[in-house]
Amino acid sequence: MKHLLVLIALGTLLFAKIPPLSFITLEKGSWHIVVCQDESTCRTIITEQEPRTYDYDFTTGSLVYIASDKNVHLIVDNNESILLKSDKNAYTEPSFIEGGKQIMLVELINRNSKKTKLVSIDLKHKKMKTLHAQYSTALEPYKNNTKVYYANVSCTEACNKIIQEIWHKDLVTGEANQMTLLNVLSHQPRANKDNTKIYFSSIKGGSYHIWEYDFKTHLSKQLTFGNSTDGFPSPYGKGFFFLRRTGNLTKMMHYSPEDNVTDVMLPINYTKIRNLKVKQ
């Protein structure tokens, strides 16, 4: 199926120049994926079904997404096909790795999130292999070089609440280690380019805000504050972009050590945004 790329001309960005990025937005009652190569042009990618989670490869222009039919859909050269069907096991949170040659996914064993595996599939040979497996729930993986970062559910019924901490695994040595110890829900880990810091969203303190884990000090600290819900941190340069939800509105923000938190003003009035991804 040939897909129409709806081009949307953007005006001048008011506060911060945006890098190549993508997100899911609600337009005319349905969810769509929007890709912005720079501050002057964005495009809405028309898919066969509504996307739940996705990833976009800025180099090849390929797109992978989990559709409303729960299958893994792949778009290459504007042609859409089903890469994996959700039968005995289900899949979620796809991401391109190895220069777009492979796709990493969370595999839900028996279609249940109580036990998961992190797997990858080679797009050329269609071979799947396990990257990480333990008797628990690993979600929202992010691969940077030879390390995979993920949110691991460590306690539920026994703690009278869900505790989810940030872990990382070295794919060369096979060693996995817990990074955070906040004893709350922490998720959406993203590493900066040189793997010195991890940004993630945590509900420590009562509301979801963006935190930082420093590999040198092995300490976590809160970076964003306020009466809002902050999530989807996407590292870029010395800081990161993220989404801030206040009431029913969501807007894009930028954090840097110099300027702290500033607004990112897109001329297109996107008020429902999720799953922000920024090309580093």
Side-chain angles (χ1 to χ4, degrees), residues 3-7 43-46 78:
H3 285 75
L4 173 66
L5 298 180
V6 183
L7 297 181
R43 65 183 187 272
T44 297
I45 300 179
I46 306 303
N78 295 333

Side-chain angles (χ1 to χ4, degrees), residues 47-91:
T47 54
E48 291 182 354
Q49 299 193 30
E50 281 190 301
R52 294 185 173 181
T53 61
Y54 80 104
D55 195 25
Y56 178 80
D57 190 306
F58 287 93
T59 301
T60 64
S62 299
L63 174 75
V64 60
Y65 74 100
I66 308 300
S68 53
D69 64 4
K70 301 181 181 180
N71 295 323
V72 182
H73 289 235
L74 178 66
I75 299 177
V76 177
D77 296 328
N78 295 333
N79 293 303
E80 180 163 345
S81 61
I82 295 178
L83 178 65
L84 289 171
K85 286 191 174 182
S86 179
D87 295 322
K88 179 182 179 182
N89 298 329
Y91 301 92

Side-chain angles (χ1 to χ4, degrees), residues 24-264:
I24 296 178
T25 187
L26 186 66
E27 295 180 315
K28 298 180 180 180
S30 59
W31 293 99
H32 298 283
I33 298 167
V34 173
V35 176
C36 301
Q37 291 287 353
D38 52 41
E39 68 275 9
S40 62
T41 305
C42 287
R43 65 183 187 272
T44 297
I45 300 179
I46 306 303
T47 54
E48 291 182 354
Q49 299 193 30
E50 281 190 301
R52 294 185 173 181
T53 61
Y54 80 104
D55 195 25
Y56 178 80
D57 190 306
F58 287 93
T59 301
T60 64
S62 299
L63 174 75
V64 60
Y65 74 100
I66 308 300
S68 53
D69 64 4
K70 301 181 181 180
N71 295 323
V72 182
H73 289 235
L74 178 66
I75 299 177
V76 177
D77 296 328
N78 295 333
N79 293 303
E80 180 163 345
S81 61
I82 295 178
L83 178 65
L84 289 171
K85 286 191 174 182
S86 179
D87 295 322
K88 179 182 179 182
N89 298 329
Y91 301 92
T92 188
E93 296 160 5
S95 60
F96 287 101
I97 60 174
E98 305 301 329
K101 297 178 181 179
Q102 299 178 21
I103 293 174
M104 180 171 62
L105 302 120
V106 175
E107 185 176 30
L108 308 176
I109 309 301
N110 296 320
R111 304 168 66 93
N112 194 309
S113 62
K114 289 185 177 181
K115 186 178 181 181
T116 65
K117 291 195 302 183
L118 305 184
V119 300
S120 66
I121 181 169
D122 184 283
L123 293 179
K124 182 178 181 180
H125 303 288
K126 299 298 186 293
K127 291 184 178 181
M128 184 177 290
K129 70 175 182 178
T130 299
L131 299 177
H132 175 72
Q134 63 189 72
Y135 194 77
S136 60
T137 302
L139 299 169
E140 300 172 309
Y142 177 78
K143 184 177 182 293
N144 197 13
N145 299 322
T146 61
K147 297 184 184 297
V148 174
Y149 305 91
Y150 56 96
N152 190 76
V153 179
S154 57
C155 194
T156 53
E157 290 88 353
C159 301
N160 292 320
K161 63 177 182 178
I162 298 176
I163 295 177
Q164 189 168 273
E165 302 285 1
I166 307 302
W167 284 58
H168 83 279
K169 180 176 183 177
D170 190 313
L171 296 179
V172 176
T173 65
E175 183 179 358
N177 292 289
Q178 182 175 332
M179 300 166 61
T180 63
L181 189 59
L182 298 179
N183 294 315
V184 293
L185 277 166
S186 300
H187 66 154
Q188 299 170 350
R190 293 292 183 270
N192 63 359
K193 201 167 186 178
D194 56 2
N195 282 308
T196 59
K197 294 181 180 180
I198 302 295
Y199 303 110
F200 59 96
S201 180
S202 178
I203 202 171
K204 186 79 171 179
S207 298
Y208 279 108
H209 288 104
I210 308 302
W211 286 61
E212 171 192 275
Y213 177 88
D214 191 310
F215 269 101
K216 292 182 180 179
T217 64
H218 301 289
L219 297 176
S220 300
K221 68 176 181 179
Q222 186 174 342
L223 298 180
T224 67
F225 302 85
N227 187 23
S228 61
T229 299
D230 298 338
F232 298 104
S234 295
Y236 185 78
K238 295 182 179 180
F240 56 87
F241 290 82
F242 67 100
L243 298 181
R244 169 164 287 176
R245 190 178 78 243
T246 305
N248 293 323
L249 301 179
T250 305
K251 58 182 179 179
M252 195 180 303
M253 310 292 292
H254 180 260
Y255 173 91
S256 69
E258 296 83 9
D259 303 323
N260 205 341
V261 175
T262 55
D263 290 73
V264 176

